Amino acid sequence: MLAAAGIAILVAMGMALARTLLGPTVYDRILAVNSFGTKTVLLIALLGAMAGRSDYLDVALLYALINFVATVALLRYCESGEFARDDREHP
């Protein structure tokens, strides 16, 4: 059962990777990268369940946090062209 879930996750990762390469807009590509990262979190959690090691869940949670922050940073960069605005220049 877990192996079937792993195969399904790998297929979904392949589809997200295809969308990343073929996406018509940059927002489609960013969404596909976020989806790929989410599938990676699921795969790490699944591998932890298959190996019987609960410490993989910590790695999965950390990866999910990094994935979220990276997606927000990329969207912000695409929207404004900069990661952080210096308020001293723009009051």
Side-chain angles (χ1 to χ4, degrees):
M1 185 71 174
L2 291 178
I7 291 171
I9 291 171
L10 287 175
V11 168
M13 288 175 80
M15 293 168 53
L17 189 61
R19 174 55 63 188
T20 302
L21 296 174
L22 302 173
T25 66
V26 69
Y27 296 109
D28 291 332
R29 291 180 174 159
I30 290 173
L31 181 62
V33 168
N34 186 23
S35 177
F36 188 85
T38 303
K39 303 297 183 286
T40 303
V41 169
L42 290 174
L43 191 62
I44 291 171
L46 182 69
L47 289 175
M50 290 174 79
R53 297 185 57 178
S54 62
D55 51 344
Y56 278 34
L57 290 178
D58 295 334
V59 175
L61 287 174
L62 180 64
Y63 191 82
L65 180 64
I66 292 171
N67 185 34
F68 173 74
V69 170
T71 301
V72 170
L74 277 173
L75 288 172
R76 184 178 172 107
Y77 181 75
C78 287
E79 181 179 289
S80 65
E82 57 188 20
F83 283 114
R85 183 177 5 166
D86 190 7
D87 288 336
R88 291 177 288 183
E89 296 177 7
H90 306 284

